[in-house]
Amino acid sequence: MAKITFINQSGEKRTVEAPDGSSVMEAAVRNDVPGIDADCGGACSCATCHVYVDEAWVEAVGGPEPMEEDMLDFAYDVRPNSRLSCQIAIRPELDGLVVQTPERQG
C-alpha cells in the first residue's frame, strides 16, 4: 500500500492510498480525483490521465516507455516530468509519491 498525493492547479492537495500493483490512475479514479479522466480505462491510448511527477520523485518513478511517449504527444502542456498515470505502477518505494494534475485544456 502506498500513499499518493495529487495536487491540482489551485494547489489543493488530496492524498489517497493505493495497493501495490495498481496504477496511479486507478487510485485517482477510485477516489474521484478531479483532473484524471482516464477515458480509455488505463490502456495507454488516450492521454486523459496525464500528470506531472513531482521533481523529487522523477527518478524513483522512471521515464515513459516508447508507447507512452507517443501518447504524451496528445496531452496538453507536456513537460519533461510528464507521465500518463495509467503507466505508473504502485510499488512500496513509491509510498509518498506526489503528482500534479495539469490545467484543464479549453
Side-chain angles (χ1 to χ4, degrees):
M1 193 68 86
K3 290 187 178 178
I4 305 163
T5 299
F6 293 88
I7 304 172
N8 69 17
Q9 287 296 305
S10 302
E12 297 170 22
K13 296 179 181 180
R14 180 147 179 217
T15 301
V16 303
E17 288 193 348
D20 293 347
S22 66
S23 71
V24 172
M25 180 220 72
E26 290 169 325
V29 169
R30 268 196 306 275
N31 291 282
D32 297 317
V33 173
I36 305 290
D37 296 335
D39 290 343
C40 75
C44 194
S45 62
C46 73
T48 62
C49 68
H50 174 219
V51 295
Y52 304 120
V53 175
D54 185 88
E55 293 297 332
W57 287 94
V58 168
E59 189 173 321
V61 169
E65 295 293 323
M67 186 168 88
E68 180 182 354
E69 284 181 347
D70 290 345
M71 283 313 305
L72 280 167
D73 289 342
F74 298 99
Y76 177 70
D77 193 20
V78 175
R79 302 175 186 172
N81 60 331
S82 287
R83 289 292 310 268
L84 296 182
S85 60
C86 69
Q87 299 300 298
I88 303 172
I90 302 300
R91 50 192 197 278
E93 57 269 26
L94 294 185
D95 186 31
L97 175 64
V98 177
V99 297
Q100 185 176 29
T101 55
E103 185 175 343
R104 302 308 294 165
Q105 183 179 10

